[in-house]
Amino acid sequence: MMTQVMDHVSTRAATTPRLTAARFGDCAVTYGDLDKVINEYQAVLSRHGLGRNAALTAGIMASLPTVSTGDSVAEVVEWLGRDIEPTVGLRAVG
């Protein structure tokens, strides 16, 4: 889900960078600003062996300072992914 959310943010940043991506408390962030921060964190974190999920979490927390817990990050990720179609997975037949 996190990879899909990051791809979604990137796509929206390319097409509608000034559109508000998320609000949390009194803070808001646009798709363009969120994408920029995520990419900056990804460049730094990947040098230390951390993946895209860490960059998304760091980007959310940096862009929305009122987000202070893992539960709050999960709420923002859920909000950002609200328009993403669920993928169809393989099921065991038996």
Side-chain angles (χ1 to χ4, degrees):
M1 171 74 166
M2 299 282 263
T3 298
Q4 290 175 308
V5 168
M6 288 185 70
D7 292 343
H8 178 69
V9 168
S10 181
T11 299
R12 294 297 297 264
T15 58
T16 54
R18 294 184 183 163
L19 186 67
T20 299
R23 293 182 188 279
F24 198 87
D26 294 336
C27 297
V29 64
T30 65
Y31 282 103
D33 290 340
L34 182 57
D35 187 55
K36 180 182 176 195
V37 171
I38 289 169
N39 289 330
E40 289 170 355
Y41 273 106
Q42 189 170 345
V44 172
L45 294 175
S46 66
R47 288 190 294 242
H48 298 283
L50 298 170
R52 292 181 79 197
N53 293 353
L56 177 60
T57 299
I60 289 170
M61 294 181 84
S63 300
L64 299 167
T66 53
V67 172
S68 60
T69 67
D71 289 341
S72 300
V73 171
E75 287 179 43
V76 173
V77 170
E78 185 176 323
W79 173 256
L80 290 169
R82 69 194 179 282
D83 295 329
I84 298 172
E85 302 256 343
T87 57
V88 177
L90 299 175
R91 294 185 307 190
V93 177

